[in-house]
Structures are given as structure tokens and as C-alpha cells.
């Protein structure tokens, strides 16, 4: 890089830093930083909740999702979500939760379809996160749900309005943390201190 | 373990609720326990340092620790935890898992006690 270009860049950085410090009153106490703008917050606010809140407008079918999946996802997850090498398995494993080695996938284990959308939107593909548009994410979600036999029709159009109608097979097996009840015998007890687990000899 | 005679065992205890109020330590795989000495800052949800002074003459040791917190919770053994949660539970695995086995020659390794 030429010397003048380097100087211009560092000058620009300095100006930006000064702009950041000249902040609204709330951040002025320590003279550091500034409030995030509404646009910045909106760009980060991409969570999708199980009740559907946060879903952006958009639509896609499993057939459309298949093309995207093969192009962007199958290298790690396999064409049918069977997982390649050590990358996660996304489909299958139905009924395996009681086996010695349960196979926990979207269909066999996940309680909420919204997690598929949320996770893809936030973090996938690995190494190029947040590159997908809402329509693509609906299509991919539909494809994954189709692989897991939650959506039977590959032409079914998944969108933000009908998303809540998707029912996952394993939802009922999740329950709120109940350790204060189911593990209450771990509280307020006097554990053994001497000769624990040692059986006394009869005389 | 390198030296016979007086030694100090030290560890860290932590709880997601409240403060660490007590740590029990066993040197014989859970048959007998003693209260460790807690020293240093004791704050909520913070690592808390404990110590046990002991005499080592080359005997085999199986060292475990057991934490108590200010809500009255006493750290369960892995077997107690498995009884409630089965063997596939991964998160919140806070049971006393294994022991540090110290051999007569001082070599130390991690073992699971039955």
C-alpha cells in the first residue's frame, strides 16, 4: 500500500475514533463509547422465539431448500442431513432417545422448529454466517423439516404466518427445570463423614 | 506427589448459587471425610480456594472433594445424580465424578470409583 494511502486511512480511523468519543450525555460519564443506534440494534436483533416472535417476512419450500442445502450445507451435513465426518447430524434418529447412544437430531429431539430458523439465520453456513436471505432460510428450514418427516409435502410453502402450525414430535418431552423439586434431597442434608459405605461386621 | 511428610492439598470450589460455605475432602475414596480449610475471598458465584494439610508416607490415596453452598445444597455424587437424571444428561453435571488416585510412587491419575 502506498504511503499516502496508509496515512489517509489512519487519519480516517482517528477521525472515526474521535467521533465515537463525542457521545450523547448518557455515555459521557466515563467519556467512553456511545449508544448503539436503532439500526445497529435492529441488525443484531435476529432471534426467533418458539412462539414465532422475530420471524421475518418470507417464504420457501423444501424443494427450493434442497438446492440451497446441496450447494451450501451438504459439504458438512451431507445431502440428507446424515452428517459427514464429525459435523452434526441433522436428520434421522427417530425413536433412538432411549437407546444407549441416542441420536439427537432436529426431528428426533428438538422441541421447537423455530430453533432451526434462528440458528441458520444467526450462524450458518459455518464460516459465512448471516449471508442467507429470509426466503432462503424458510426454504432451508422447510427442507430440513421435510428430511425429518415433519413437513411431508416438498411443495409446502413455509412462511412467517404458518410457521407456528409446525408441530415437532419431541416437544412434549421437554419440561421446565424442576431440580428444586426432583433434586430437593440434595439440599439441607448432613452427608456422611466417617466410615461411609463401610459395613459393620457382626460380632 | 514428590515429597513424603507434610503436604498441602489445594483446590477450588464454585457454586452457581450463593457462596461456598464448606468443602469436605476425602483421601480414601469417600470412606472418611474432613472439612477443608477455606481461605481467601469467599464471594457469591466465585471460585473459592480450599486447603487440606496432610501427611504422606507413600500410602495410596484416592482424593475427592464435596462442596456445600449457602443455600444448603450439598454436592451430590455422580451416582446420586445419575439416579435422578439417567446417564445421558450432559449439562449441569455437577456430581462428584472421580477421584485423584495417588500411587505409592507419587504418580497421580484420574479414576472413577465404582
Amino acid at each position: 500500500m502506498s504511503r499516502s494511502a496508509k496515512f489517509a486511512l489512519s487519519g480516517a480511523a482517528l477521525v472515526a475514533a474521535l467521533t465515537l468519543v463525542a457521545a450523547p450525555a448518557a455515555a459521557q460519564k466515563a467519556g467512553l463509547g456511545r449508544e448503539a443506534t436503532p439500526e445497529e440494534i435492529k441488525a443484531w436483533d435476529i432471534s426467533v422465539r418458539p412462539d414465532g416472535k422475530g420471524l421475518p417476512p418470507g417464504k420457501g419450500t423444501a424443494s427450493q431448500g434442497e438446492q440451497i442445502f446441496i450447494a451450501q450445507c451438504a459439504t458438512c451435513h451431507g445431502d440428507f442431513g446424515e452428517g459427514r465426518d464429525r459435523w452434526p447430524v441433522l436428520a434421522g434418529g427417530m425413536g433412538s432417545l432411549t437407546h444407549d447412544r441416542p441420536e439427537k437430531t432436529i426431528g428426533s429431539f428438538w422441541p421447537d422448529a423455530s430453533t432451526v430458523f434462528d440458528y441458520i439465520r444467526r450462524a450458518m453456513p459455518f464460516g459465512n454466517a448471516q449471508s442467507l436471505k429470509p426466503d432462503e432460510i424458510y426454504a432451508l428450514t422447510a427442507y430440513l423439516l421435510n428430511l425429518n418427516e415433519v413437513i411431508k409435502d416438498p411443495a409446502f410453502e413455509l412462511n412467517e404466518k404458518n410457521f407456528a402450525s409446525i408441530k415437532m414430535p419431541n416437544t412434549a418431552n421437554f419440561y421446565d427445570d424442576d431440580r428444586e423439586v426432583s433434586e430437593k434431597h440434595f439440599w439441607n442434608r448432613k452427608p456422611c463423614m466417617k466410615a461411609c459405605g463401610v459395613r459393620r461386621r457382626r460380632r | 506427589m514428590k515429597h513424603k511428610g507434610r503436604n498441602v492439598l489445594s483446590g477450588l470450589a464454585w457454586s452457581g448459587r450463593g457462596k461456598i460455605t464448606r468443602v469436605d475432602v476425602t483421601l480414601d475414596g469417600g470412606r472418611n471425610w474432613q472439612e477443608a480449610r477455606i481461605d481467601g475471598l469467599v464471594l457469591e458465584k466465585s471460585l473459592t480456594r480450599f486447603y487440606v494439610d496432610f501427611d504422606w508416607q507413600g500410602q495410596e490415596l484416592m482424593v475427592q472433594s464435596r462442596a456445600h453452598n449457602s443455600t444448603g445444597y450439598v454436592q451430590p455424587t455422580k451416582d446420586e445424580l445419575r439416579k435422578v437424571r439417567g446417564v445421558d444428561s450432559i449439562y449441569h453435571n455437577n456430581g462428584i465424578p472421580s477421584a485423584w488416585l495417588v500411587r505409592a510412587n507419587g504418580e497421580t491419575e484420574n479414576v472413577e470409583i465404582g
Side-chain angles (χ1 to χ4, degrees):
Chain A
M1 168 178 320
S2 72
R3 247 199 296 146
S4 56
K6 254 199 262 185
F7 182 76
L9 271 179
S10 60
L14 191 59
V15 168
L18 288 173
T19 311
L20 284 174
V21 173
Q28 205 62 21
K29 267 198 265 192
L32 295 169
R34 62 166 174 83
E35 278 186 36
T37 65
E39 292 78 24
E40 284 168 328
I41 294 175
K42 188 163 183 286
W44 287 316
D45 190 8
I46 58 171
S47 300
V48 177
R49 294 186 345 195
D51 63 8
K53 191 159 199 273
L55 279 171
K59 58 193 190 302
T61 68
S63 298
Q64 293 164 335
E66 182 175 19
Q67 304 314 310
I68 307 169
F69 192 87
I70 288 171
Q72 302 215 40
C73 320
T75 33
C76 297
H77 291 295
D79 282 352
F80 305 108
E82 74 275 17
R84 293 187 58 201
D85 299 329
R86 306 291 299 221
W87 298 109
V89 180
L90 302 177
M94 310 310 176
S96 72
L97 294 185
T98 50
H99 299 178
D100 277 350
R101 291 189 181 277
E103 190 157 65
K104 295 171 171 174
T105 72
I106 294 170
S108 72
F109 183 63
W110 292 25
D112 303 305
S114 56
T115 307
V116 181
F117 195 101
D118 177 285
Y119 195 85
I120 295 173
R121 187 185 195 189
R122 173 192 316 288
M124 288 287 126
F126 189 55
N128 198 19
Q130 302 186 21
S131 62
L132 296 166
K133 301 191 201 25
D135 281 355
E136 292 174 307
I137 306 172
Y138 279 105
L140 283 167
T141 303
Y143 179 63
L144 285 165
L145 292 173
N146 178 242
L147 283 177
N148 282 283
E149 296 172 32
V150 174
I151 291 180
K152 302 283 201 278
D153 178 8
F156 172 77
E157 187 192 83
L158 186 65
N159 58 48
E160 79 276 12
K161 294 191 246 322
N162 64 20
F163 202 98
S165 70
I166 304 290
K167 298 285 172 255
M168 301 292 279
N170 199 43
T171 309
N173 291 323
F174 275 75
Y175 54 94
D176 285 348
D177 189 338
D178 67 346
R179 280 175 285 170
E180 287 188 24
V181 170
S182 61
E183 295 177 15
K184 75 175 200 295
H185 51 287
F186 296 155
W187 269 272
N188 299 316
R189 54 183 180 153
K190 292 181 69 155
C192 175
M193 295 295 279
K194 291 273 172 274
C196 308
V198 175
R199 297 174 56 201
R200 290 189 202 272
R201 235 185 321 171
R202 282 181 198 276
R203 282 175 207 276
Chain B
M1 293 285 294
K2 294 203 174 140
H3 307 291
K4 298 226 169 73
R6 298 297 286 162
N7 275 272
V8 184
L9 172 167
S10 179
L12 288 167
W14 181 88
S15 173
R17 288 185 184 178
K19 303 180 184 184
I20 294 293
T21 50
R22 175 175 138 191
V23 179
D24 304 325
V25 170
T26 176
L27 301 178
D28 60 10
R31 285 230 175 80
N32 295 287
W33 298 80
Q34 56 184 293
E35 280 189 40
R37 186 174 77 248
I38 289 178
D39 207 347
L41 274 180
V42 179
L43 299 172
E44 295 214 352
K45 301 193 188 76
S46 302
L47 291 168
T48 304
R49 185 58 87 170
F50 61 89
Y51 303 88
V52 171
D53 303 321
F54 67 104
D55 200 74
W56 188 58
Q57 294 304 328
Q59 72 273 29
E60 195 178 81
L61 303 175
M62 279 198 280
V63 185
Q64 292 178 300
S65 61
R66 176 172 65 204
H68 302 233
N69 75 19
S70 50
T71 70
Y73 185 93
V74 179
Q75 185 175 7
T77 64
K78 59 167 170 60
D79 292 326
E80 286 178 315
L81 216 57
R82 282 176 186 170
K83 240 205 218 106
V84 181
R85 302 187 193 165
V87 296
D88 280 316
S89 179
I90 299 171
Y91 300 113
H92 310 295
N93 181 8
N94 66 330
I96 302 166
S98 53
W100 290 108
L101 170 68
V102 181
R103 299 186 195 285
N105 64 0
E107 274 177 10
T108 306
E109 67 177 298
N110 218 253
V111 298
E112 176 160 342
I113 299 182

